[in-house]
Amino acid sequence: MTRAAVAATADARTVRLRHLTKQFGPVRAVDDLTIDVLPGRVTGFLGPNGAGKTTTLRMLLGLVRPTSGTATIGDVPYGRLRRPATVVGAALEASSFHPGRTGLDHLRVYAPQAGVGDARAREVLDLVGLGPAGGRRVGGYSLGMRQRLALATTLLGDPPVLLLDEPSNGLDPEGIAWLRGFLRALAAEGRTVLVSSHVLSEVQQTVDDVVVIARGRLVHASSLDDLARLARPRVRASSPDGARLADLVARSGWTTAGPPARAADGALTVEVHDVPPAVVGAAAFAAGVELHELAGVGAGLEQLFLDLVDRPADVAGGAA
Amino acid sequence: MGAALRTEYRKVVTTRLWWVLLLVMVLYMAFLSAVMAWAVTQGAGAPAGGPGGPGGAGTGVDAVRSVYTIAVTFGYAFPLVVGTLAVTTEYRHRTITPTLLLEPRRDVVLAAKLAAGGVMGVLFGVVGTVAAAGAGALVLALLGEPTGLDEASTWGVLARSALALAVWAVVGVGLGTVLTNQVAAVVVILAFTQFLEPVLRLVLGLTSWGQDVSRYLPGAAGEAISGGSFYSDAAGVPLLPAWQGLLVLVGYALVLAALGRVTTLRRDVG
Ligand SMILES: Nc1ncnc2c1ncn2[C@@H]1O[C@H](COP(=O)(O)OP(=O)(O)O)[C@@H](O)[C@H]1O
Ligand SMILES: [Mg+2]
């Protein structure tokens, strides 16, 4: 299905989901997901809120039992990993800290199970820029500081695989820029880095690969470059004389994006691909079609992302 | 398992609540025991059939025991709460997620929590018993009464008092796995230890079959371990032998833990 999914043998750092499915009562939170996440790259795991990202990660981490399908790291399910903190570092969305514990103590609590000592706890605290705040109680940390502490926790055991759920939530622009460089450096060391987000623009400058899900289903998986090639500029035009505008679009041979919006009074709004607004405007003027709106819209990736998650999965999947 | 145990131990000692509870327990036990020590020498709070007024014979070993084991009778809620919090705080602050990420084998997590609960229980048991016995003995000595501390059997009672309190902390861990809501768990503990069990024991003590049943209540089993009891003396109901009391109380801990293992610890976390 995807370039990644056909990889024959799994590296010990490859994350593999096979037909992963989770049903919560009437809700199919994750629906037949098959994905490979490769080492040495930052993969964006994207989808709107409620798409099933967190549930997918929780299944991968053995916290939630899949209804069906499998999830492995280097062909081993998380629950069977010996000293998992040295293989996978995971930070899940909800902040999971005891507010009365200091940042350093939080790390010291888990250090024995990561097989490291207090020195490493201090080291990762410095790595994420929390060194000076290590002696303060987590209850007084900002959301951004908690994100950094969560990241520090994932690094305790120096794992080759990092799974981060919405790590840029609560970070200020400077923090996001820092995170970007940090994740790129981790991937450059050959680690597998998976970052989830509900906004593509947030991770756009960080990721090499993108996996997009919507309503639990895979809608797109490719490199970011391939996704970018799918992003085409569009022009939205509307006219009170819908029939003549439709005629103009047909005669000009423009491809429309989505179905045209027809109003009861005969007005029409269309979106066309691959034509600059100036060309549409000139053609309408020449044909005497009265335009009430003419605008270039959604030329960027974000619009493409929104389209992907908005469309029925099988249609979008075909485009991938 | 060693790493899991160290993690569990660190979880407790890196928060403040445990020593606040320990401090309150020490003060409360010392106070109760001092009052009891004074009362038994006045003949007022003397156990059933203790008409003997002030003067060695009347206070007797049993009376001294019920003073020294006051922590088991009235203070067991403290180790019980500490044990329960070891589980409920994980759900309250969602730290159960990192806990299971670092150790996905849920049996190991549970075993480590039970063991760490026992370690904290020993601390609460020893400190609570020392506070009770210390304050009680001090008052007795000041009143010129025999303290019983020169008898080996008294020291045996003290050791078993600490043991009983330690087991109570393990029971707490088991309870926490069944009842993960912290507020609910604490309310249940307070209602049961401060009201339900004392009333049950008094009511059941009125009939002979009721007496048989009441001996197997957890509080009665805990007292049986230490061998001294305010309630059983007051109600005139004999306790189980110490070793049976130990088995019963450990049984409560294991049954609760097993129940938690197949409910709470089987569930999805998220
Ligand atoms: N424990 C749960 N019980 C019932 N429904 C759940 C549970 N966890 C998640 N869901 C539902 O599953 C869907 C996916 O949620 P989630 O994985 O959190 O999405 P995302 O992380 O992409 O925002 C949502 O509809 C959510 O309401
Ligand atoms: Mg989520």
Side-chain angles (χ1 to χ4, degrees):
Chain A
M1 170 191 327
T2 68
R3 174 189 48 80
V6 295
T9 55
D11 185 287
R13 298 162 298 179
T14 300
V15 172
R16 285 195 153 169
L17 312 182
R18 289 293 177 271
H19 305 292
L20 197 62
T21 300
K22 180 67 185 186
Q23 187 88 31
F24 285 118
V27 180
R28 183 153 285 223
V30 176
D31 192 358
D32 197 29
L33 267 194
T34 294
I35 303 168
D36 278 13
V37 184
L38 302 179
R41 306 176 73 83
V42 180
T43 302
F45 186 36
L46 305 167
N49 288 323
K53 305 179 295 294
T54 301
T55 304
T56 301
L57 292 175
R58 286 192 177 268
M59 283 194 279
L60 175 57
L61 295 165
L63 297 169
V64 165
R65 195 189 317 249
T67 303
S68 59
T70 57
T72 54
I73 299 108
D75 285 334
V76 183
Y78 189 86
R80 298 246 181 78
L81 292 173
R82 283 185 54 244
R83 251 193 227 287
T86 61
V87 182
V88 180
L92 288 164
E93 177 177 46
S95 282
S96 307
F97 307 108
H98 190 300
R101 228 169 249 150
T102 67
L104 182 61
D105 276 345
H106 169 80
L107 294 167
R108 288 185 58 250
V109 159
Y110 300 106
Q113 290 181 312
V116 300
D118 291 1
R120 175 67 181 167
R122 280 195 198 86
E123 192 178 309
V124 293
L125 215 46
D126 286 336
L127 265 180
V128 301
L130 273 184
R136 280 165 49 195
R137 294 183 200 287
V138 177
Y141 279 20
S142 68
L143 186 52
M145 291 167 82
R146 286 168 199 237
Q147 289 283 22
R148 285 172 190 254
L149 182 58
L151 190 59
T153 314
T154 68
L155 297 171
L156 259 186
D158 197 19
V161 178
L162 285 153
L163 308 172
L164 309 173
D165 197 11
E166 311 255 2
S168 41
N169 273 2
L171 290 184
D172 50 22
E174 183 205 3
I176 292 180
W178 166 82
L179 181 67
R180 185 174 296 147
F182 198 77
L183 297 181
R184 297 251 26 109
L186 289 169
E189 291 167 7
R191 294 179 217 254
T192 304
V193 182
L194 182 74
V195 238
S196 84
S197 177
H198 59 281
V199 247
L200 173 63
S201 55
E202 211 170 61
V203 294
Q204 197 173 326
Q205 289 166 275
T206 315
V207 302
D208 303 293
D209 291 331
V210 283
V211 170
V212 183
I213 65 170
R215 291 171 301 276
R217 296 187 67 99
L218 180 70
V219 292
H220 181 91
S222 75
S223 68
L224 183 70
D225 293 344
D226 285 350
L227 181 70
R229 266 178 226 117
L230 290 176
R232 301 147 76 192
R234 298 181 191 186
V235 172
R236 181 163 61 230
S238 57
S239 167
D241 191 347
R244 292 188 58 195
L245 177 58
D247 186 47
L248 175 69
V249 169
R251 271 189 292 116
S252 310
W254 297 328
T255 50
T256 53
R262 244 174 253 282
D265 61 1
L268 179 75
T269 302
V270 291
E271 290 190 3
V272 296
H273 276 307
D274 306 322
V275 200
V279 172
V280 176
F285 182 73
V289 178
E290 182 181 348
L291 288 186
H292 285 184
E293 186 187 2
L294 177 65
V297 289
L301 273 172
E302 197 62 33
Q303 184 61 42
L304 175 65
F305 171 63
L306 291 176
D307 288 348
L308 281 173
V309 300
D310 223 25
R311 261 186 277 172
D314 33 22
V315 175
Chain B
M1 182 71 192
L5 203 55
R6 275 162 66 212
T7 287
E8 289 305 325
Y9 173 75
R10 287 184 180 188
K11 276 180 195 164
V12 179
V13 298
T14 53
T15 55
R16 285 173 291 185
L17 198 54
W18 71 274
W19 65 255
V20 174
L21 282 169
L22 188 61
L23 191 67
V24 174
M25 184 186 187
V26 164
L27 297 176
Y28 184 38
M29 291 309 112
F31 168 75
L32 274 187
S33 152
V35 170
M36 273 285 286
W38 177 79
V40 295
T41 59
Q42 306 307 305
T59 54
V61 162
D62 281 350
V64 165
R65 273 187 186 178
S66 60
V67 172
Y68 290 172
T69 59
I70 205 87
V72 179
T73 310
F74 293 106
Y76 67 90
F78 289 93
L80 184 57
V81 165
V82 162
T84 307
L85 292 180
V87 183
T88 56
T89 50
E90 296 255 44
Y91 283 87
R92 177 158 177 230
H93 299 301
R94 296 165 163 271
T95 48
I96 189 68
T97 291
T99 291
L100 291 177
L101 286 182
L102 276 285
E103 181 47 86
R105 292 170 298 175
R106 299 185 180 192
D107 293 323
V108 173
V109 170
L110 179 58
K113 282 197 180 296
L114 290 168
V119 172
M120 284 309 285
V122 168
L123 176 70
F124 273 68
V126 169
V127 174
T129 301
V130 165
L138 186 67
V139 169
L140 288 173
L142 287 176
L143 293 173
E145 303 288 342
T147 60
L149 289 180
D150 46 2
E151 285 179 46
S153 70
T154 306
W155 288 95
V157 167
L158 294 183
R160 285 182 285 138
S161 161
L163 173 66
L165 290 166
V167 178
W168 269 115
V170 185
V171 174
V173 174
L175 179 67
T177 61
V178 175
L179 213 59
T180 52
N181 183 301
Q182 184 149 312
V183 175
V186 171
V187 167
V188 164
I189 287 175
L190 291 181
F192 188 84
T193 63
Q194 308 303 304
F195 177 73
L196 197 60
E197 170 148 5
V199 168
L200 266 179
R201 283 172 73 182
L202 285 177
V203 172
L204 287 171
L206 298 176
T207 65
S208 70
W209 66 265
Q211 291 185 3
D212 289 339
V213 174
S214 76
R215 270 185 270 180
Y216 292 91
L217 289 173
E223 287 173 10
I225 298 175
S226 67
S229 163
F230 172 81
Y231 289 124
S232 63
D233 288 351
V237 179
L239 294 165
L240 293 170
W243 67 272
Q244 283 183 19
L246 182 62
L247 284 185
V248 170
L249 198 58
V250 168
Y252 275 106
L254 293 183
V255 167
L256 285 169
L259 214 59
R261 179 64 188 89
V262 298
T263 54
T264 304
L265 284 171
R266 254 231 321 252
R267 278 187 207 122
D268 286 347
V269 174

